[in-house]
Structures are given as structure tokens and as C-alpha cells.
Amino acid sequence: MNRAVIYGAVASFLLAIPVPGQAQEYEFKGGYPTPETIQKAYDDADLTRAIEAYKFFYPGVAFTAGFDALETVEVFPNRGAGVMQGSPKQIVFTPNSDTPYAFASLDLHIGPIVIEVPPGPLMCVVNDLNQQYVMDLGLPGPDAGKGGKHLLLPPGYAGEVPDGYFVGRSSTFRVPLLVRAIPPKGDAQQGFDMMKSIKIYPLNDAPEWKGIEWVDIADTEVDLTSVSFERDIRFWEALHRLVDGEPAYEPYRMNYGQLATLGIEKGKPFQPDDRMKAILEKAARVANDQMRVQSFADRRPDRVKWPDRKWEWASLRPENGLFDTPNYRDLDARTKWFYQAMVESPAMFRRDEKAGSLYWLGTRDETGAYLDGAKTYKLTVPLPVPAALFWSVTVYDPTNRSEIATNQGKAALRSLFELKDLPHEGSVDLYFGPEAPAGNEAQWIRTIPGKGWFTYFRIYGPQKPAFDGNWKPGDFVEVGKP
């Protein structure tokens, strides 16, 4: 036998033998794993893979849940768009209540679809079911609010692309379109009418196309999130349906390999045995809890917007809307955002005057304590707020990350509505607590004793003072009972 081969075999054997005095995670005898070690090592490996896979694929599962839920309120793919005004009646991850908005369900199995946006204050975005950015339309898009024809291409499309269109390519066939309209002078009906003026139709003749119906679901209670099943085996069943029902997305190749070891593979049934089911359910709980910790107890120093305030950036990556740094994709930033919110877009994350919007996260009061629904707080906002379009403060439930639901029936204070008559200088005090402060009822949001809450401070059309430190809101300050 070749001497090098012999030396290599001996070296491998010696390396496999535990060194006396070194701590061992698993038990080996003669360099080989015991039956107990084999079982524990595989259980640990599967659990680790499942926790990481859960976090990575969470955005796709969450978005698919909303797409599917629209069918329960008669909004079907290529047939409807659900129109609503953000309110606690719908469970949606951190929606805004500033503008009416709509979700249109599109299915590109029919071929390329045209979205014709008229001129005006419309803000639209397309993400596919992987919750990957596809394109912006309207004010934040390439038409810059001047109107234009946009073309959505299905996965793998190799046909001719005609001139005269802004083009977006989807990695999935099913595609949600989010449409928002800035209502003139706070007139929600005019906002609805603007949205309905958008034309959606297939590029090529399709006899099965019947047109899009704009369905008013503003007063309909519907859960457009994965909250109801995100901590048990149903999460993995939903993920399998997504993986099996859409084309494999090449950049996810390594991640699909991770899923395959867990029994989730395109073209094959998902049939976990009792051992794997227990591991997957534990992974769902652990991963979901870790995401909650990361969202509401972030340890990153770059989360802080102002060193002397408790406000944080809701999105930690401003570069391109995809959570990219020059050298890698920031998975922690991606995880934090998609636990709290939906949709990624460069226009949402930029930190300059060309940004469509800015979002700041508030979870703590001036002392660093978490916001408590049993206490009353005051938030002082300097005026004018540097918003060319509008601004708002919206209160959310940390359990479902949707608008807090109370008998007040609303969860936001908005410059287009409740705060539209504020002076142009000075400051305004906003209140948050279980009871209305006397004389400030119009500038108050009810909270729930026994529950925490968090908020987003939004600015649309941000101006220079929002970035250069010349303007900043106060912290939440606990005040006495009203």
C-alpha cells in the first residue's frame, strides 16, 4: 500500500479520537459515535437547519398567507383587488392608515401583465411571493408620478419585450401588487377613485381574462398574515406548498438544499415522521421567539437614529432595498424587517430626500422601559415635520404586529386627518394610554392595560431636516393619569 495512504488513514483515525481533557459535545468510543450520539447529533443538526430555514423563508410564507387570505374575501387572482383603509379590522403587518390602499392578486401563468398607472399621487410596488422586490410604480417608480405602462414578466420569460414599458421580472408566477393613493386633502373617496383608474390587463390576448374588480373590504375582518399558524407544523406545510407550487429560484439553491434535509422538496410530498414533526414544531417556536427578540430588543448599534433618543431605524439597510451591504446580504436586518413588516423596496429604505418614505421604530420610553399599555405617555413632535407629503404615528400590537385593536376603532394619528389643522410651527403633544387625557382627546390613541405596544413614526416625502439632525421627535414620556 502507498505509504502516503497509510499515513493519511492513521492521521484521520487519530483526529477522530477525543483528546483527553477536552470537552466533548458527543460521546465517541474508539473514534466512532455511540448510538445515543448518532441520534442526538442528527436531532441537533436538523433543529439548527430548521431554525435557520424558518427565518430565511419566513418572508415568503408570510406573503403567501396574505395572497391566499384574499380569496376568503372574494378577491381572486386575475379577478380582484381588495381595497381598504388601514384599520384594526384587518390583521396586516404594520400597515399604515394614512392612505387607502389595495392588494391585487395577479397570476403570471397567463403571461406578461400590463399595469397602466395614470399620472397622479399613486405609490405602488410589486413584490413576488418570495417577497423579493420586482418594481416600483407611480411616485416612487421610474415614471415618477407622471404615469406610464409597466410590464410584469413571469419567471423564465424569453419572449419579445415590446418598447414603451417599464419592465419588472418576477421569480414567482403569483404576484401581489400593492397600490396606495395619497388622498387629496384627506378625501379617502378620491383616493379610492384614483386607485380604480389603474388599468391591469394581459399583454397578449387571453380569452380567460375577465378584468379586475376593485372589491371594497375596508369593513371586512380578515387576517392577511401568517400569525395564526407561524408557530406550529402548519408553517412548514405552507412553506412546502410555496416551494412546490412555484419555480425554484436560483439564488436560493443552497437554502432549498437545507429544506430538502428536512423533507421539503419540490415535486415530493411533505410527510414528516413523528421525530421530524416534533423538531420542526420546536424550530418554529424557537425561531419565531428569536425573531421577536431581534425585532424588539435589537443589540446592533446602527439601529439608533438619534444618540439622545430611543427611536430606531425600522429598516437597518438603506443601500438598495434588498438588505445588501457591499459584500454580503444582511440576514439579521432582513429578519428584523420581515418579522414586523411586509414588502421590500429601495424607495422605502433610502435615507435621503429622494426616498419615498422613512420609518422609525419606537418600543421604549425615555427611560428605556418598554411601552406599557397600562400607562399614559406624551410624545412631543416639533413642527413643522419635514414631510413634503404627510406623516403619522401608528400604534401596533407586538403579538401580531398589526394595528392595536380597541373600542376606539383606530390606531393612528395622521397629518392628513386628525392632525391636519396643526399650526406650522411650535410643537404638538400626542398622547397614548388607556384613557383619554382631558382636553386632548383628538390627539390620543387608546392602549390596552396588560399589553405592550410599539409604534412606527412615518414620514412620506422626507425633507433634509429629517436626515441632518436639525429635526427630531421627542421620546415617549410617562405622564400622570388623565
Side-chain angles (χ1 to χ4, degrees):
M1 181 181 292
N2 185 288
R3 185 174 297 177
V5 173
I6 296 174
Y7 288 160
V10 172
S12 297
F13 177 76
L14 292 174
L15 287 172
I17 299 176
V19 177
Q22 288 188 350
Q24 298 295 319
E25 294 296 328
Y26 303 101
E27 182 181 358
F28 295 86
K29 290 185 177 180
Y32 291 108
T34 64
E36 295 78 14
T37 286
I38 293 171
Q39 187 64 56
K40 184 177 188 303
Y42 278 125
D43 287 351
D44 289 351
D46 288 341
L47 179 62
T48 299
R49 289 192 186 101
I51 290 171
E52 293 308 310
Y54 180 102
K55 294 177 185 178
F56 186 84
F57 286 101
Y58 186 90
V61 173
F63 222 30
T64 304
F67 194 96
D68 293 342
L70 286 172
E71 294 196 17
T72 68
V73 291
E74 307 297 313
V75 178
F76 298 101
N78 292 352
R79 290 168 50 190
V83 181
M84 64 191 85
Q85 178 84 34
S87 79
K89 289 186 177 180
Q90 291 90 37
I91 300 178
V92 183
F93 290 153
T94 53
N96 77 66
S97 294
D98 303 270
T99 64
Y101 59 97
F103 286 102
S105 302
L106 305 178
D107 190 336
L108 296 173
H109 280 101
I110 203 171
I113 290 179
V114 177
I115 304 171
E116 196 170 330
V117 180
L122 290 160
M123 305 172 68
C124 316
V125 63
V126 175
N127 278 194
D128 56 35
L129 279 198
N130 288 321
Q131 209 155 165
Q132 287 279 332
Y133 171 73
V134 177
M135 66 190 311
D136 285 300
L137 311 84
L139 286 175
D143 62 304
K146 298 177 182 178
K149 293 182 178 180
H150 304 75
L151 185 62
L152 287 180
L153 300 180
Y157 182 77
E160 182 180 351
V161 178
D163 294 333
Y165 294 88
F166 301 109
V167 178
R169 294 180 179 271
S170 175
S171 70
T172 63
F173 283 101
R174 292 172 295 166
V175 178
L177 164 67
L178 173 63
V179 178
R180 288 182 294 178
I182 302 173
K185 299 180 180 180
D187 187 330
Q189 186 57 52
Q190 288 192 49
F192 289 139
D193 293 342
M194 277 195 294
M195 288 192 297
K196 293 176 183 178
S197 67
I198 294 174
K199 297 178 181 178
I200 304 173
Y201 52 89
L203 177 66
N204 303 310
D205 290 338
E208 65 271 35
W209 183 271
K210 305 300 181 184
I212 296 293
E213 178 185 1
W214 297 83
V215 182
D216 187 350
I217 59 172
D219 293 323
T220 303
E221 294 185 358
V222 59
D223 184 348
L224 298 172
T225 74
S226 55
V227 168
S228 65
F229 62 83
E230 66 185 10
R231 296 176 63 84
D232 59 50
I233 196 64
R234 291 175 295 169
F235 175 91
W236 303 100
E237 293 168 348
L239 176 54
H240 175 258
R241 290 193 297 271
L242 173 60
V243 169
D244 198 46
E246 295 290 348
Y249 181 46
E250 182 61 27
Y252 288 2
R253 176 174 288 274
M254 293 286 286
N255 307 93
Y256 292 138
Q258 195 174 46
L259 289 183
T261 66
L262 304 173
I264 296 175
E265 188 174 350
K266 185 175 178 63
K268 295 184 178 181
F270 175 51
Q271 299 174 331
D273 58 20
D274 289 344
R275 183 193 77 91
M276 183 58 74
K277 182 178 178 180
I279 288 173
L280 292 174
E281 292 202 316
K282 180 177 180 179
R285 296 190 299 271
V286 171
N288 194 267
D289 286 346
Q290 289 179 355
M291 294 172 76
R292 184 184 299 272
V293 169
Q294 187 177 347
S295 287
F296 302 130
D298 199 346
R299 61 187 178 181
R300 291 171 55 148
D302 62 340
R303 75 187 187 281
V304 177
K305 164 55 179 168
W306 299 282
D308 60 343
R309 296 288 190 273
K310 302 302 181 185
W311 292 98
E312 303 178 9
W313 291 106
S315 172
L316 297 175
R317 288 257 70 95
E319 290 88 345
N320 64 355
L322 304 176
F323 308 97
D324 284 340
T325 74
N327 301 311
Y328 63 91
R329 182 151 294 179
D330 190 332
L331 296 181
D332 280 351
R334 180 179 182 268
T335 295
K336 179 176 181 178
W337 173 257
F338 283 122
Y339 184 76
Q340 298 177 24
M342 288 183 163
V343 179
E344 63 179 19
S345 162
M348 293 172 64
F349 297 160
R350 281 199 306 262
R351 298 178 188 175
D352 57 42
E353 293 180 77
K354 296 180 181 178
S357 53
L358 286 179
Y359 300 73
W360 294 306
L361 166 68
T363 61
R364 301 174 186 266
D365 67 15
E366 63 172 350
T367 72
Y370 285 114
L371 298 169
D372 184 340
K375 298 178 180 179
T376 298
Y377 300 89
K378 178 177 71 174
L379 174 66
T380 300
V381 180
L383 300 174
V385 175
L389 298 174
F390 53 87
W391 63 276
S392 64
V393 181
T394 309
V395 175
Y396 301 104
D397 183 332
T399 303
N400 61 16
R401 292 88 77 197
S402 189
E403 289 181 281
I404 193 168
T406 70
N407 59 8
Q408 189 182 23
K410 68 176 185 178
L413 296 172
R414 306 162 290 178
S415 66
L416 290 176
F417 299 97
E418 296 87 356
L419 308 177
K420 64 181 179 180
D421 295 324
L422 291 179
H424 295 293
E425 57 184 25
S427 64
V428 61
D429 291 333
L430 308 180
Y431 292 87
F432 308 83
E435 300 295 336
N440 292 287
E441 293 84 355
Q443 295 163 200
W444 161 74
I445 293 296
R446 184 185 296 279
T447 60
I448 304 171
K451 289 185 69 71
W453 56 275
F454 71 99
T455 184
Y456 274 10
F457 196 121
R458 287 181 170 87
I459 288 181
Y460 285 84
Q463 298 169 319
K464 185 177 179 181
F467 306 99
D468 63 13
N470 287 324
W471 177 92
K472 53 189 170 185
D475 278 324
F476 290 96
V477 177
E478 185 180 352
V479 296
K481 293 182 179 180

